[in-house]
């Protein structure tokens, strides 16, 4: 176990064994279903190049400053997110209630964990589907041979109708996740990132190169990057900012928690920039990985989850070595989803360990059980519980089942509120000297970062929050 010392110089804590371990773990947290499913679909549906450019601007000008703010709060506190916020607030003579921001984040991370593992379960299902296909028909032909177009189209809706299968898969994904979290930071979480992230990158590059040779690569480049400024409407901009925050895992105390395991010698500014760069590159490469395959099969991109779970399996059917590529693709998605779900589970686990002085393994297992229960309810919200709308009394969440309500509440409220309050806290409340000691910046860059955290981030995040709650305020 790697040990770092808390800022009060007392409690020894488990931590990352090196800077690169932290980078891999944080990139693992950031790179996930958001990069592979949501980014390509949103980019394609929201005007390609204009969306992509605006997205990158959001990452640099809003996402990166908040990412640095979150990691520095964690590193300074050397404790769970709530405790770290409280410590920095106390040292800055501010109210200890600021710890509540991180408390919101802990709740949000738990809610995301619950529905994220349901999707992780779907990924397991598709891994099984393609693996069985290889056993049956070998690797040389296209995927899912012998299935008609209708049969393939029915796979995903059939899965969504089957609450029991989804529940079993959800539990399986939660169990895989907790096996790493229960083993601790250096002994479990770090091990997962150090093995899975390089494997993920190799699979991503391999499949992208395959798509470049066998798929419609130049068409895909045109599709994703053609710049049409007229497409940059209010809703498109809102989608880009929301996606940037989700993709960098901000506003849910995840990066605070991971930051708390970082040693004092690490330059947080450089490290945050590396994390944001890697996350954005993966999102862009994911677009270049998926669309050549989809477009070559003459399919169109329908948005959201359908792109991955409906359109792609269809496309793999007509590709050379489609079964093998299909299997490699879903294994890659599984790796990315797992390193993200590990980070999501770590947030409430670290909080409960700190708050109640509990041991890690039983704490992680209890949180896993709670997440599995909520996940199972989410799985049934596609079928038996589809008529149950837990937040139906709030107009913003009207008609949403459990799965979709968890997604909306966290994306529209918890994440922007969390990130907004973090930027206000770091920009205005926390003692300057403490922040300056941690952030690894100097000179003009330091002043620019401070400007972004003090002004641009709070303004942009307030805007996102308001139009997220009152979408009708957005000009179309
Ligand atoms: N960033 C992850 C993705 O893009 O899929 C999702 C996520 C993971 C959000 C961890 C928040 C978090 F704490």
């Amino acid at each position: 176990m790697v040990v770092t010392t808390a800022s009060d110089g007392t409690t020894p804590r488990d931590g990352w064994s090196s800077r690169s371990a932290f980078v891999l773990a944080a990139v693992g947290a950031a790179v996930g279903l958001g990069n592979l499913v949501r980014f390509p679909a949103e980019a394609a549906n929201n005007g390609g190049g204009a969306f992509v450019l605006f997205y990158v601007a959001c990452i640099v000008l809003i996402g990166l400053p908040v990412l640095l703010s979150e990691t520095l709060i964690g590193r300074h506190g050397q404790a769970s997110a709530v405790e770290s916020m409280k410590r920095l607030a106390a040292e800055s003579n501010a109210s200890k209630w600021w710890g509540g921001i991180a408390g919101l984040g802990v709740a949000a991370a738990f809610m995301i964990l619950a529905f994220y593992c349901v999707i992780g379960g779907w990924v397991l299902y598709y891994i099984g589907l393609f693996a069985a296909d290889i056993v049956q028909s070998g690797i040389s032909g296209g995927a899912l041979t012998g299935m008609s177009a209708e049969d393939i189209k029915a796979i995903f809706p059939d899965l969504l109708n089957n609450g029991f299968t989804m529940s079993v898969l959800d539990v399986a994904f939660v169990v895989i996740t907790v096996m790493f979290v229960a083993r601790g930071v250096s002994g479990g979480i770090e091990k997962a990132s150090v093995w899975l992230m390089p494997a993920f990158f190799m699979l991503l590059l391999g499949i992208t190169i395959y798509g470049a040779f066998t798929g419609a690569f130049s068409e895909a480049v045109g599709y994703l990057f053609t710049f049409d400024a007229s497409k940059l409407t209010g809703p498109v901009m809102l989608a880009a900012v929301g996606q940037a925050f989700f993709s960098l895992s901000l506003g849910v105390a995840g990066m605070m928690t991971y930051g708390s395991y970082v040693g004092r010698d690490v330059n947080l500014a450089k490290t945050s920039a590396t994390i944001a760069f890697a996350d954005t590159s993966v999102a862009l490469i994911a677009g270049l990985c998926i669309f050549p395959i989809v477009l070559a099969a003459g399919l169109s991109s329908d948005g959201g989850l359908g792109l991955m779970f409906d359109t792609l399996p269809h496309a793999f059917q007509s590709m050379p070595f489609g079964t093998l590529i299909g299997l490699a693709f879903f294994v890659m998605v599984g790796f990315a989803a797992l390193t993200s779900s590990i980070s999501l589970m770590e947030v409430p686990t670290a909080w409960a360990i700190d708050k109640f002085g509990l041991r890690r393994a039983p704490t992680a297992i209890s949180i896993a059980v709670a997440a599995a229960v909520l996940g199972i309810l989410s799985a049934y919200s596609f079928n038996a519980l589809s008529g149950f709308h837990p937040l139906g009394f709030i107009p913003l969440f009207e008609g949403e089942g459990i799965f979709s309500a968890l997604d909306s509440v966290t994306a529209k409220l918890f994440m922007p509120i969390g990130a907004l309050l973090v930027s206000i806290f770091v920009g205005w409340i926390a003692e300057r000297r403490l922040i300056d000691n941690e952030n690894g910046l100097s000179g003009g860059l330091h002043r620019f970062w401070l400007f972004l955290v003090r002004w641009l981030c709070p303004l942009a995040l307030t805007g996102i929050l308001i139009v997220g709650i009152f979408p009708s305020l957005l000009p179309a």
Side-chain angles (χ1 to χ4, degrees), residues 29-35 112 116 246-249 252 254 340 343-344 415:
V31 168
L33 297 163
N35 304 60
I112 299 176
Y116 209 83
F246 186 79
S247 195
L248 285 180
S249 309
V252 300
S340 293
S343 74
L344 286 163
M415 289 181 120

Side-chain angles (χ1 to χ4, degrees), residues 111 388-401 404-406 408-410 412-414 468-471:
M111 289 193 269
F388 175 54
H389 306 143
L391 300 175
F393 57 94
I394 305 171
L396 187 60
F397 306 114
E398 215 175 286
E400 299 201 37
S404 141
L406 287 171
S408 294
V409 169
T410 48
K412 290 183 182 152
L413 298 180
F414 282 64
I469 297 174
F470 305 104

